[in-house]
């Protein structure tokens, strides 16, 4: 509509004028840019929680039913006492290792991700012990994951804080932690707890909202005796939709 109005004004006021050749060239170039060059508008999708599975073991891999647009899938798992988990697949597709860290003197914990997952089975290679959850979020960036990640450990503590340096605007954060003893339930100071498994001291939470760019820290806390802990935090960038328009 605005192009039509501009042309009407040009015809009314500019055409009757006696323009030299250089002025006509400039006017022609200007009109050509308006009429034949599209402009692009980028619109971010909004990241949102999709679903999270029940707990799984090596004998019972489980997944979630994936739905919605631009999904990003995650697997958070406690492994062996040594770093033995070499790969994870989601419905046969390889997942990317986000990060891993060893609980002091205890097991390794891992976070894995995949873009555009479909409903299917989670399978592991290398580890004899696997305990954790799979989940997915919608509206996530579809070219790579995650946006950022960080790890931390704590010894003889009732809490663990993990920081990740968020890059993309309108991202969410997810934090996964576990301890060496179990028997306690953890809370989070950011967002919501999505899964907790008291037997192994496992907690998964997310921001449940967009966060600022830069360093973002999440702390998981329990009210019992001290534990050794490991934690991983990551961020999910929103998917950017690019549309061309000639309006």
């Amino acid at each position: 509509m605005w192009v039509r109005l501009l042309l009407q004004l040009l015809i009314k006021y500019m055409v009757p004028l006696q323009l030299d050749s250089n002025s006509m060239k400039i006017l022609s170039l200007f009109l050509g840019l308006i009429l034949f060059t599209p402009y692009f508008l980028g619109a971010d999708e909004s990241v949102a929680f999709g679903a999270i599975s029940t707990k799984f073991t090596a004998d019972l891999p489980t997944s979630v039913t994936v739905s919605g647009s631009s999904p990003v899938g995650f697997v958070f798992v406690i492994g062996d006492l040594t770093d033995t988990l070499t790969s994870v697949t989601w419905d046969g597709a390889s997942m990317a290792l986000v990060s891993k860290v060893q609980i002091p003197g205890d097991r390794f914990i891992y976070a894995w991700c995949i873009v555009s997952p479909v409903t299917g089975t989670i399978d592991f290679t290398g580890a004899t012990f696997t305990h954790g959850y799979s989940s997915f979020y919608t509206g996530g960036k579809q070219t790579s994951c995650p946006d950022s990640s960080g790890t931390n450990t704590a010894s003889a503590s009732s809490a663990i804080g993990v920081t990740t340096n968020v890059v993309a605007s309108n991202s969410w954060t997810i934090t996964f932690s576990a301890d060496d003893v179990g028997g306690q339930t953890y809370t989070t100071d950011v967002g919501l707890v999505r899964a907790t498994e008291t037997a192994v001291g496992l907690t998964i939470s997310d921001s449940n909202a967009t966060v600022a760019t830069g360093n973002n820290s999440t702390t998981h806390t329990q009210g019992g005796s001290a534990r050794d802990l490991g934690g991983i935090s990551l961020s999910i960038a929103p998917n950017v939709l690019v549309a061309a328009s000639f309006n």
Side-chain angles (χ1 to χ4, degrees):
M1 178 180 289
W2 68 268
V3 174
R4 185 165 57 250
L5 291 174
L6 181 58
L7 287 174
Q8 289 173 348
L9 290 173
L10 287 171
I11 292 172
K12 182 176 180 180
Y13 294 105
M14 298 297 292
V15 172
L17 298 177
Q18 298 294 322
L19 299 178
D20 58 34
S21 60
N22 288 333
S23 297
M24 287 299 297
K25 289 178 181 178
I26 293 172
L27 179 59
S28 299
L29 177 61
F30 179 66
L31 290 174
L33 290 172
I34 294 175
L35 292 174
F36 301 110
T37 302
Y39 66 91
F40 294 89
L41 297 177
D44 289 359
E45 287 190 77
S46 296
V47 176
F49 175 71
I52 194 164
S53 69
T54 56
K55 67 179 180 179
F56 59 75
T57 68
D59 297 324
L60 185 63
T62 187
S63 65
V64 290
T65 300
V66 180
S67 61
S69 64
S70 305
V72 181
F74 297 93
V75 168
F76 302 99
V77 58
I78 302 173
D80 293 326
L81 295 171
T82 56
D83 183 15
T84 56
L85 182 58
T86 56
S87 66
V88 180
T89 59
W90 183 308
D91 191 48
S94 296
M95 301 189 73
L97 176 64
V98 174
S99 201
K100 60 186 175 183
V101 67
Q102 186 176 19
I103 301 168
D106 202 66
R107 298 183 181 276
F108 275 80
I109 65 172
Y110 305 80
W112 302 75
C113 71
I114 186 172
V115 297
S116 302
V118 297
T119 302
T121 301
I122 309 298
D123 291 299
F124 307 96
T125 300
T128 58
F129 179 96
T130 54
H131 194 114
Y133 292 80
S134 58
S135 64
F136 80 94
Y137 290 74
T138 58
K141 183 178 178 179
Q142 294 295 286
T143 54
S144 63
C145 65
D147 170 68
S148 68
S149 67
T151 65
N152 195 20
T153 60
S155 298
S157 176
S158 61
I160 183 168
V162 191
T163 299
T164 187
N165 190 4
V166 177
V167 177
S169 299
N170 301 316
S171 294
W172 281 35
T173 57
I174 305 175
T175 302
F176 164 45
S177 68
D179 68 37
D180 63 333
V181 178
Q184 298 293 338
T185 300
Y186 289 79
T187 60
T188 182
D189 67 336
V190 176
L192 298 174
V193 172
R194 298 295 184 180
T196 181
E197 184 60 33
T198 303
V200 291
L202 179 154
T203 306
I204 301 169
S205 68
D206 66 40
S207 59
N208 195 42
T210 59
V211 298
T213 56
N215 287 331
N216 281 260
S217 181
T218 301
T219 300
H220 290 170
T221 305
Q222 52 92 0
S225 58
R227 303 281 193 266
D228 294 334
L229 302 111
I232 299 170
S233 189
L234 60 89
S235 58
I236 316 168
N239 193 35
V240 177
L241 299 178
V242 180
S245 173
F246 288 88
N247 293 331

